[in-house]
């Protein structure tokens, strides 16, 4: 089945304790698309500038990602420069140039309209809402992301959009901020009341927990927790969350039914793709995977958590 | 089988956002002993003052905990007062009165000497080492705890003691500080090189991970991660780590063999006992459990992590 992702395709300059990468292919939609491409057909809606190279578009195409929804506009592509300190938990943004992204008004091309799944990466919630409406209720499942900026300064728009999101993926801090509650499990209940059937809260190096509305996807209200891999070397954490979302949504889109067990496996595949993403700079590792490597690492996640 | 725990038996005054408890029974050895008592016979080595009541000693005795190793000394019992803020992650110490604990020189009574398991709760590493030597290598497994104070100011003594500890249980911050390394998995490798066969690193609300030396307890070097329960209400986090250690060591002591699978289940039982401890103030919840409740919660942990 096909999944449409709407979000940024960008160039990133990244500095971490392991080294530096200069103007490499990045952006939430790129990480998501590459991660999801190992599971299902992916279609991207994004905007890039004249500096966007054919080679970088080919990176996506080589993964059978449909790039016909990427608008090429006059000007330059979204550019981000950031730096990570020793603990790698949070990037310090050194430069953000929205460029053509400032006028992004995403439109779903007609050839994408039969897609069963939609992922709204972290963009203005008004645009997220517009895109979802364009799909006209045809998507079986809508996933979404957001961040502190939209939660703090665009709350009314965000809350409107959340009513149309089936699965929201955010981190601990965002969940607490969105709910205005300091306990993660209680914040989760509050966020589920805002609309989503399921809420994935990412805990960084500690993994992620999915909380469900009672009855959602054939199960009760009990949560499910997936680990992150205890990695000895994290070279570049950029895109870990988007890669998680790509593995998570990609696996779901590859399955016939949206059962609770599919969601649990999707949490593991999310963790798997996030763990690969951070092993190299930018999208390097996500570009060179095989489904066999992915399933081997899935088994490592299983070994890490399951009692025989 | 029997387990000896050496550590503090104390009175605590605790303030949390959920309320206040005044001079309630506490101390690492108390939490450990109560948690472990649901799995195995526990024997306590501790020191208390004249203020220690017969009712409080009966709390332990009702759980078949052997208290003959508790020395009653002139003076007052160890007293601690602390306060937790909204996030409940760290206590602010308001008062510490070592009292009789300042002269604690633990001796293992002869009637404890046939114990197969020993747990060295968080006390001076010199005393931990003395106690271990008194057991004269008879214990099948020695578990231990420590804290930032000993790591920072008594490192040489601590490192000496660690060479005789089979399983060390500490938290993320302590592991990083002990290893002088900011990455938890790499810190774990470094700590294992200091002596222990296994290292349990506790992540608070995110659970705990056990790291092994290659070949230890019949398995490879791959770690195992147990969750913590996403609890909507945590009334009092005091003693969560000691209760984890009690469930963990108690379960291990209840098994015939020290296999890798026993360690994995022990991680879950550790999490289970920690989750109960924080539901009420002090040791209240640990005093009133049944093995049936414990095993029901074990199933909740399984449900939270296992894919069918």
């Amino acid at each position: 089945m096909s999944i449409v992702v709407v979000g940024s395709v960008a160039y990133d300059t990244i500095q971490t304790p392991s080294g530096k990468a200069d103007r490499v292919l990045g952006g939430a939609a790129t990480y998501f698309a590459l991660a999801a491409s190992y599971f299902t057909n992916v279609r991207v809606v994004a905007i890039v500038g004249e500096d966007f190279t054919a080679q970088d578009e080919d990176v996506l195409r080589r993964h059978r990602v449909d790039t016909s929804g990427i608008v090429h506009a006059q000007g330059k592509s979204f550019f981000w420069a950031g730096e990570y300190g020793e603990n790698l938990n949070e990037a310090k943004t050194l430069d953000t140039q929205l460029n053509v992204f400032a006028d992004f008004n995403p439109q779903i091309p007609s050839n994408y309209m039969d897609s069963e799944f939609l992922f709204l990466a972290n963009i203005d919630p008004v645009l997220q809402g517009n895109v979802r409406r364009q799909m006209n209720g045809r998507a079986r499942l809508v996933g979404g992301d957001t961040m502190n900026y939209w939660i703090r300064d665009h709350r009314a728009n965000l809350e409107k959009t959340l009513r149309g999101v089936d699965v929201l993926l955010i981190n601990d801090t965002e969940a607490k901020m969105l709910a205005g509650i300091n306990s993660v499990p209680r914040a989760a209940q509050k966020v589920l009341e805002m609309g989503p059937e399921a809420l994935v809260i990412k805990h960084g190096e500690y993994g992620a927990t999915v909380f469900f509305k009672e009855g959602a996807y054939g199960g009760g209200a009990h949560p499910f927790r997936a680990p992150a891999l205890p990695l000895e070397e994290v070279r570049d954490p950029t895109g870990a969350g988007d890669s998680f979302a790509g593995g998570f949504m990609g696996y779901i889109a590859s399955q016939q039914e949206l059962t609770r067990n599919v969601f649990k496996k999707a949490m593991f595949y999310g963790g798997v793709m996030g763990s690969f993403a951070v092993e190299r700079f930018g999208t390097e590792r996500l570009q060179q995977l095989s489904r066999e490597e992915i399933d081997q690492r899935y088994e490592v996640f299983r070994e890490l958590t399951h009692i025989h």
Side-chain angles (χ1 to χ4, degrees), chain A:
Chain A
M1 286 181 272
S2 295
I3 183 161
V4 174
V5 55
V6 184
S8 59
V9 171
Y11 285 117
D12 293 341
T13 290
I14 305 156
Q15 175 116 40
T16 83
S18 310
K20 194 178 174 184
D22 205 42
R23 286 190 63 81
V24 289
L25 178 63
T30 307
Y31 282 98
F32 180 97
L34 288 172
S37 73
Y38 292 95
F39 302 92
T40 193
N41 295 316
V42 187
R43 295 157 163 178
V44 179
V45 174
I47 189 166
V48 295
E50 294 153 297
D51 55 349
F52 192 69
T53 67
Q55 291 97 304
D56 282 327
E57 192 151 346
D58 275 346
V59 167
L60 292 167
R61 286 201 183 131
R62 273 203 302 277
H63 287 80
R64 299 165 315 285
V65 173
D66 191 332
T67 61
S68 61
I70 299 183
V71 174
H72 291 255
Q74 283 199 326
K76 292 180 79 179
S77 303
F78 187 1
F79 173 76
W80 178 80
E83 189 179 9
Y84 297 85
E86 269 303 327
N87 81 12
L88 295 171
N89 282 331
E90 212 174 338
K92 185 178 155 201
T93 292
L94 302 174
D95 193 6
T96 305
Q97 297 171 20
L98 290 178
N99 298 327
V100 297
F101 197 72
D103 303 313
F104 189 32
N105 183 16
Q107 303 296 322
I108 304 214
S110 55
N111 59 316
Y112 284 12
M113 280 293 178
D114 60 347
S115 304
E116 295 91 342
F117 295 86
L118 172 64
F119 186 73
L120 307 165
N122 168 36
I123 56 172
D124 186 334
V126 171
L127 301 181
Q128 290 178 317
N130 288 347
V131 167
R132 194 190 61 78
R133 273 186 297 278
Q134 290 169 41
M135 291 288 285
N136 220 350
R138 275 187 287 255
R140 288 175 60 194
L141 185 140
V142 179
D145 186 10
T146 192
M147 71 184 290
N148 50 7
Y149 172 68
W150 309 115
I151 296 169
R152 200 178 45 227
D153 297 342
H154 298 255
R155 177 172 286 270
N157 293 337
L158 178 60
E159 289 188 357
K160 210 176 198 176
T161 294
L162 285 184
R163 290 199 279 274
V165 169
D166 301 305
V167 183
L168 181 68
L169 294 95
I170 51 181
N171 66 31
D172 287 296
T173 311
E174 291 157 354
K176 290 177 186 175
M177 190 189 275
L178 182 54
I181 294 174
N182 227 328
S183 141
V184 168
R186 281 193 287 130
Q189 297 318 311
K190 182 90 181 280
V191 173
L192 289 173
E193 287 165 17
M194 296 178 182
E197 295 291 302
L199 170 66
V200 176
I201 301 186
K202 293 168 286 177
H203 315 307
E205 65 177 307
Y206 300 120
T209 308
V210 56
F211 295 87
F212 295 97
K213 267 187 190 152
E214 176 74 43
Y217 308 113
H222 47 274
F224 179 76
R225 183 163 279 189
L229 211 58
L231 286 168
E232 298 211 8
E233 188 175 28
V234 172
R235 288 224 181 111
D236 172 16
T238 310
D242 301 312
S243 306
F244 182 102
F248 176 85
M249 291 285 298
Y251 178 76
I252 286 176
S254 75
Q255 299 299 301
Q256 291 302 317
E257 295 197 68
L258 300 182
T259 65
R260 196 55 74 91
N261 221 35
V262 164
F263 269 82
K264 292 180 178 180
K265 289 186 181 173
M267 289 290 286
F268 270 48
Y269 278 112
V272 164
M273 299 314 289
S275 77
F276 279 124
V278 303
E279 286 184 346
R280 300 271 187 287
F281 271 85
T283 60
E284 195 185 329
R285 190 75 179 97
L286 292 186
Q287 293 184 33
Q288 296 160 341
L289 285 167
S290 68
R291 184 60 197 258
E292 200 188 347
E293 282 177 288
I294 291 168
D295 285 327
Q296 277 168 0
R297 185 157 292 185
Y298 180 93
E299 286 307 314
V300 174
F301 271 72
R302 220 184 150 85
E303 184 74 27
L304 181 64
T305 50
H306 280 56
I307 297 170
H308 307 296

